[in-house]
Amino acid sequence: MIEIKGVSKTYGKGKIKALNNINLEVRDGEIFGFLGPNGAGKTTTIKQITGILKPDSGTIKINGIDIVKNPVEAKKHIGFVPDNPEIFNRLRGMEYLNFIGDVYEVPEDERYKRINELSEAFEIRDALSSSINSYSHGMKQKLVLIGALLHNPSVWVLDEPMVGLDPKSAFILKEMMRKHADSGKTVFFSTHVMEVAERLCDRIGIIKKGEIIFVGTLDELRHLRKDNDSLENLFLELIEE
Amino acid sequence: MKKAWALTKIYINSLYGISGFINSFKTNKKSAFKTIALILLILIGLLGTASAFIIYNIQLYDILRPINQQGIIISNSFIFAAMFTLIFGIVGIIATYFVDKEGDIILSMPLKPWNLLFAKFFTSYLYEAVLSLIIMATGVIVYGVKSGEGLLFYIISFIVSLLIPVIPLVVSYIVIIPLMKVANFLKKKDVVMIISGFIGALFGVVIQLSFQDTMMKMNKNPEVLREIFTFQNGMVSIASRIYPPSTWGTYAIIDISSTRGFTGLMLLLLTAAVAVILLHCFMSEMYLRSLIGSTEVRKSERKMTEKELKMGLRRRNILTSLLLREIRLMNREPIFFLNGPFVIFLIPAILGAMLFIQRDVIAAQLGTILRYNTSSYYSTLIVAGMGAFLGSMSSIASSAISREGKAFMYLKSMPIEPVKYINAKLLHAGIFGVMAGFITCAIGYFLMGVTIGGLMLAFIISQLLMLPSFICGLLLELTWPKLIWDNPQKAVKQNINVVIIIFGGMIFLYGTAAAVYFLLKTPIYGYLVLTIVLAVINVVLYACLISYGRKRFYEIEA
């Protein structure tokens, strides 16, 4: 579960307001889609949930643990995929995953089992001995995904996870997200692809200029707008207001 | 030519960030002042070294003036500038050979091969020209002031100084381009880049050795000696037997109004121009071919077996894992390696060669110290100082967080204890510090005859002496990390923290040396006090680092 209470964030010594008093609760057992135009504050929110950025005010709790007060413990519960998979390019795929395994204290047997399974599913097993530098964007995305899921975290935080994935891998990931939520755990992800959000999410949140302008199910959004249109049209209407 | 200039401007801005610097005056004054502070710091640091050369040249002038050989100051500076631009040229070319995304974007543009080579050549040249100007200034100013030269002398000196790096740079490109072509063919770009760095350093050392050897042999030859003392500045013409452009340049500077001076300038200009034209005519195609596909990396074609996967997935404690990651990331990135750990091997190679050649002079100087009957004490401390200097030159700690770049933010999302992260960084620097200690102990043993006991003491003191620079480097990195960069060079070469630690480290070593010389004259008392004081400094600094790092780690934002 992710609880965000009264979180604000400014950049440039308070000159640029990125987030303004946002409140959000992502429950156990749900897939939560986070939508918003470019520069609305999606990535800033995600960076604060994962402890990359410190909020100026407010609290963020992961499964009840405050990410600012107890960062190491809180982060153990999170599996995070950043929006840009350009990381540790000089390591080999396997070295990267082993490092992640060490950081999250994954036992050797479990580490082997999960890496074997996930790398087979995402079809990058044979590339694990190669340098990450030699990977395509999609392969890097898959590697980061495997790393994020290696310790079997209860909270998945995925920033644009489908970008760069081939259709088969995107399908597998969507299945995994569904399965994870159905087992009572949390999936929080941002996307620009409305179709994905429409099909996959139990609830969605829409952020605009650093403020949450809608949180609820798709039906609730349609009811609110008194319109039976697609999410894409509803989203466009909402953010243009 | 327009296209070549346009690309040159892009390279200059990408590598030196000049546009960004000018722009920061309007948008971010703090950043602009930081850059100015960095430039000033480099200049102050260089001034220290340059003043040593100036003092040496003043003394040399006074000795040579009565025998009319003072022109050797200019030819010395010329050869020195040419040698430095050659060594730094090779390393610099390697470091800037593949600009980020070049293979993907620039090669898709309608540019001729010579446009690409010219742009890169000119970008490297700028850096070399500054280096040449600084080195030449140490000789030109002394000669000019002492001889009461006019404005023309300085104008010609300026022109000649700008011409000096051209030939070494052309030679460097001729050596490097074929190597990079092979690297590209083998898809082993990184390995070849590192090997080229070693070849470059070796090349420089060999030239230096052969130059000094030739000069020594000439000084013993009666024919040469007669020539030196018969003609005014006869020694200058001797230098031409080793490197003819040095004579042309020297005569141009000291005697432009004469035929030999004017001819010298013309010859220098012509040779530089022909060298550049020939390079572009004959090497542009090969240069282009070395760039094509440079972003490709050889992938392992082999399928991984179950056993291999299992073997590769070994659980380690987090500190070991962080340390391994550190070492791999630094040593597999050629630019990080060449600007960091490589220095530990490069400097001793040059220093070792110099000490070997001048061992008689050094022995005589050590003899002066002998009058205190404490030679082993000072030799031990000299070895310790050299080790500390070498260790603090590696820039491992002072670029530790900047090297992470944007990935630092990703690391922050992981459950990593800041203390472990910092300790891994410190250990990484420490490992290469130990290597530096061993290397200088070897120099101390073979070239200075320091005893085993003395070497053990020197090793311990060297580690205690370099540790403050590692800790201060990490403190600076935690405070001002440079995480946004498009070229790895910016994390090391253009990082203010690296510059502060290199020059700050030198000041700390000079200060310690002065304190030892004036206050700690007896060995046992000296060793004891030095060890205790340094240990206390290190403990205090480490406590500050941990206390600050624990909090600061979470506050760093890109």
Side-chain angles (χ1 to χ4, degrees):
Chain A
M1 191 165 100
I2 304 168
E3 294 165 275
I4 303 173
K5 278 186 191 158
V7 166
S8 295
K9 178 75 185 171
T10 53
Y11 291 122
K13 288 183 181 166
K15 284 177 194 160
I16 305 156
K17 206 158 203 168
L19 293 180
N20 189 15
N21 191 31
I22 66 163
N23 292 285
L24 199 64
E25 190 180 295
V26 184
R27 301 164 200 149
D28 287 339
E30 75 172 355
I31 299 180
F32 188 91
F34 200 42
L35 316 175
N38 291 334
K42 293 191 299 295
T43 298
T44 302
T45 307
I46 287 175
K47 282 183 176 172
Q48 294 189 102
I49 293 172
T50 52
I52 294 173
L53 295 179
K54 227 176 172 179
D56 295 345
S57 59
T59 56
I60 297 172
K61 286 182 181 172
I62 310 294
N63 291 340
I65 306 165
D66 193 311
I67 190 88
V68 177
K69 286 183 186 155
N70 200 351
V72 174
E73 270 314 301
K75 286 171 190 175
K76 284 181 183 170
H77 294 253
I78 303 172
F80 170 55
V81 174
D83 57 344
N84 185 1
E86 296 296 326
I87 40 152
F88 312 150
N89 275 341
R90 294 283 167 183
L91 294 186
R92 294 192 180 95
M94 201 159 63
E95 289 168 351
Y96 168 77
L97 293 175
N98 206 32
F99 169 70
I100 299 287
D102 288 338
V103 169
Y104 287 91
E105 297 166 341
V106 182
E108 244 170 59
D109 285 351
E110 199 185 320
R111 193 179 297 197
Y112 168 74
K113 199 174 143 240
R114 301 263 313 154
I115 290 174
N116 208 20
E117 262 172 31
L118 291 166
S119 62
E120 286 282 2
F122 287 116
E123 297 175 336
I124 60 161
R125 194 182 180 279
D126 291 331
L128 290 182
S129 58
S130 298
S131 168
I132 299 174
N133 223 6
S134 68
Y135 288 16
S136 67
H137 182 90
M139 284 167 80
K140 284 180 188 171
Q141 186 76 345
K142 289 174 185 179
L143 186 74
V144 173
L145 257 168
I146 297 172
L149 309 183
L150 188 59
H151 59 295
N152 203 7
S154 59
V155 178
W156 291 8
V157 181
L158 319 171
D159 198 356
E160 301 278 357
M162 310 294 171
V163 175
L165 290 187
D166 52 67
K168 191 183 169 192
S169 300
F171 176 78
I172 293 169
L173 178 63
K174 282 184 265 182
E175 292 277 295
M176 287 168 75
M177 286 161 81
R178 187 71 270 161
K179 214 172 139 190
H180 191 68
D182 288 348
S183 68
K185 291 165 185 169
T186 312
V187 178
F188 178 99
F189 80 107
S190 74
T191 184
H192 280 296
V193 187
M194 293 299 138
E195 283 172 9
V196 172
E198 201 165 4
R199 281 188 202 163
L200 206 60
C201 299
D202 297 312
R203 287 197 307 146
I204 56 163
I206 299 176
I207 186 167
K208 183 187 166 187
K209 291 183 182 166
E211 290 183 12
I212 305 268
I213 54 170
F214 174 78
V215 177
T217 63
L218 192 60
D219 284 342
E220 283 169 348
L221 180 62
R222 285 190 181 118
H223 183 73
L224 188 80
R225 306 293 303 173
K226 293 181 180 102
D227 197 344
N228 203 19
D229 216 336
S230 66
L231 175 60
E232 189 169 26
N233 287 344
L234 291 168
F235 172 78
L236 288 173
E237 278 173 30
L238 204 60
I239 60 157
E240 271 163 23
E241 272 176 6
Chain B
M1 197 68 197
K2 253 187 179 177
K3 285 180 183 175
W5 273 117
L7 185 61
T8 308
K9 275 190 231 165
I10 288 174
Y11 280 155
I12 291 171
N13 278 322
S14 166
L15 293 170
Y16 305 119
I18 293 171
S19 279
F21 172 59
I22 294 166
N23 199 33
S24 63
F25 273 104
K26 293 175 203 157
T27 55
N28 188 351
K29 285 211 164 58
K30 200 178 157 192
S31 157
F33 288 125
K34 259 192 203 173
T35 314
I36 292 172
L38 173 69
I39 295 167
L40 282 176
L41 197 72
I42 294 171
L43 286 177
I44 292 167
L46 287 173
L47 212 65
T49 317
S51 52
F53 277 106
I54 290 172
I55 293 165
Y56 171 73
N57 280 332
I58 291 171
Q59 288 173 345
L60 201 63
Y61 186 97
D62 293 338
I63 294 166
L64 294 170
R65 179 74 188 87
I67 52 168
N68 257 334
Q69 301 298 329
Q70 66 275 29
I72 199 76
I73 289 170
I74 301 291
S75 70
N76 253 353
S77 305
F78 191 111
I79 290 168
F80 204 55
M83 210 146 66
F84 259 71
T85 50
L86 179 71
I87 298 172
F88 282 90
I90 290 176
V91 178
I93 290 168
I94 296 164
T96 56
Y97 202 89
F98 301 104
V99 175
D100 199 32
K101 304 286 175 210
E102 182 181 53
D104 298 329
I105 300 165
I106 291 173
L107 292 184
S108 69
M109 294 175 177
L111 294 163
K112 287 181 180 145
W114 76 264
N115 292 160
L116 295 166
L117 181 57
F118 177 83
K120 201 61 80 61
F121 180 87
F122 193 82
T123 311
S124 315
Y125 168 77
L126 274 186
Y127 172 75
E128 299 283 291
V130 173
L131 187 68
S132 167
L133 279 170
I134 294 170
I135 296 172
M136 280 301 283
T138 61
V140 166
I141 293 170
V142 170
Y143 187 96
V145 172
K146 285 241 171 201
S147 309
E149 296 289 344
L151 185 65
L152 186 66
F153 167 83
Y154 293 101
I155 293 171
I156 301 294
S157 300
F158 183 74
I159 296 169
V160 170
S161 304
L162 292 181
L163 289 170
I164 292 172
V166 177
I167 299 168
L169 211 54
V170 169
V171 172
S172 305
Y173 268 102
I174 291 171
V175 173
I176 299 296
I177 292 173
L179 280 171
M180 290 303 178
K181 175 86 179 54
V182 174
N184 209 358
F185 175 73
L186 297 172
K187 299 280 177 244
K188 294 267 181 202
K189 190 177 78 183
D190 299 342
V191 177
V192 176
M193 277 172 88
I194 290 169
I195 292 171
S196 305
F198 277 105
I199 291 175
L202 202 71
F203 197 46
V205 171
V206 168
I207 288 177
Q208 191 183 356
L209 281 172
S210 56
F211 172 70
Q212 294 194 5
D213 194 43
T214 316
M215 280 302 253
M216 278 183 173
K217 276 180 193 155
M218 280 183 181
N219 285 344
K220 285 172 190 162
N221 183 342
E223 267 299 299
V224 175
L225 287 174
R226 192 188 58 80
E227 193 179 331
I228 289 172
F229 294 110
T230 314
F231 304 105
Q232 186 178 5
N233 287 320
M235 221 183 235
V236 172
S237 64
I238 303 302
S240 74
R241 295 183 192 181
I242 301 151
Y243 187 54
S246 70
T247 312
W248 306 335
T250 306
Y251 285 137
I253 292 173
I254 62 176
D255 204 7
I256 188 66
S257 51
S258 73
T259 319
R260 68 175 183 180
F262 184 75
T263 317
L265 184 64
M266 288 302 116
L267 273 171
L268 198 62
L269 264 169
L270 201 71
T271 314
V274 169
V276 172
I277 292 167
L278 288 177
L279 174 78
H280 284 79
C281 286
F282 294 105
M283 301 300 278
S284 293
E285 278 294 332
M286 193 189 275
Y287 175 70
L288 175 68
R289 285 202 297 275
S290 72
L291 290 183
I292 294 174
S294 61
T295 49
E296 287 173 19
V297 184
R298 175 170 278 185
K299 274 186 202 171
S300 169
E301 306 282 332
R302 215 167 44 84
K303 288 201 170 193
M304 200 193 283
T305 62
E306 296 279 314
K307 199 181 165 191
E308 279 172 321
L309 184 64
K310 237 175 192 168
M311 289 289 284
L313 298 172
R314 285 247 171 97
R315 190 172 174 175
R316 297 184 183 93
N317 70 56
I318 180 68
L319 185 67
T320 316
S321 201
L322 282 165
L323 178 63
L324 259 178
R325 184 194 73 102
E326 271 290 309
I327 294 171
R328 284 169 175 158
L329 289 179
M330 179 145 205
N331 297 332
R332 287 181 189 170
E333 169 58 63
I335 293 172
F336 289 162
F337 180 76
L338 290 173
N339 286 295
F342 178 66
V343 177
I344 289 176
F345 307 104
L346 175 72
I347 295 178
I350 296 172
L351 204 72
M354 279 166 68
L355 286 177
F356 180 73
I357 292 288
Q358 295 173 345
R359 58 191 180 281
D360 298 340
V361 182
I362 289 162
Q365 281 170 350
L366 280 177
T368 320
I369 298 169
L370 268 171
R371 71 173 182 270
Y372 293 106
N373 201 23
T374 48
S375 65
S376 66
Y377 173 51
Y378 285 108
S379 307
T380 301
L381 292 181
I382 288 168
V383 173
M386 287 195 314
F389 171 75
L390 203 59
S392 56
M393 287 289 282
S394 74
S395 314
I396 294 172
S398 54
S399 65
I401 298 175
S402 300
R403 289 196 311 271
E404 305 271 15
K406 291 169 192 162
F408 180 73
M409 290 295 133
Y410 179 57
L411 263 176
K412 270 182 78 183
S413 76
M414 295 177 194
I416 297 171
E417 293 273 2
V419 175
K420 285 180 182 162
Y421 177 77
I422 292 165
N423 281 339
K425 299 269 179 198
L426 200 56
L427 263 172
H428 181 198
I431 287 170
F432 283 90
V434 167
M435 278 189 206
F438 279 130
I439 291 170
T440 42
C441 279
I443 292 176
Y445 182 75
F446 291 111
L447 298 173
M448 293 165 72
V450 180
T451 60
I452 299 292
L455 290 176
M456 282 164 77
L457 275 167
F459 180 79
I460 294 166
I461 295 169
S462 75
Q463 299 306 306
L464 289 170
L465 268 172
M466 69 176 88
L467 204 51
S469 77
F470 297 160
I471 298 174
C472 291
L474 281 169
L475 279 167
L476 282 174
E477 277 286 278
L478 281 163
T479 313
W480 299 296
K482 196 179 175 118
L483 298 171
I484 306 292
W485 42 262
D486 51 0
N487 187 328
Q489 280 226 90
K490 289 182 183 165
V492 278
K493 250 186 171 176
Q494 292 169 31
N495 186 345
I496 191 163
N497 301 333
V498 169
V499 181
I500 291 173
I501 290 303
I502 287 178
F503 293 114
M506 280 183 193
I507 293 166
F508 176 69
L509 285 178
Y510 292 148
T512 312
V516 167
Y517 189 76
F518 291 110
L519 304 171
L520 308 170
K521 290 188 176 177
T522 48
I524 296 170
Y525 178 65
Y527 290 137
L528 204 68
V529 171
L530 200 60
T531 311
I532 292 169
V533 169
L534 286 172
V536 170
I537 290 174
N538 281 310
V539 168
V540 171
L541 277 175
Y542 181 72
C544 291
L545 174 71
I546 293 304
S547 152
Y548 178 65
R550 200 173 262 150
K551 188 170 147 276
R552 178 65 191 153
F553 179 81
Y554 295 111
E555 292 169 354
I556 297 173
E557 292 182 6

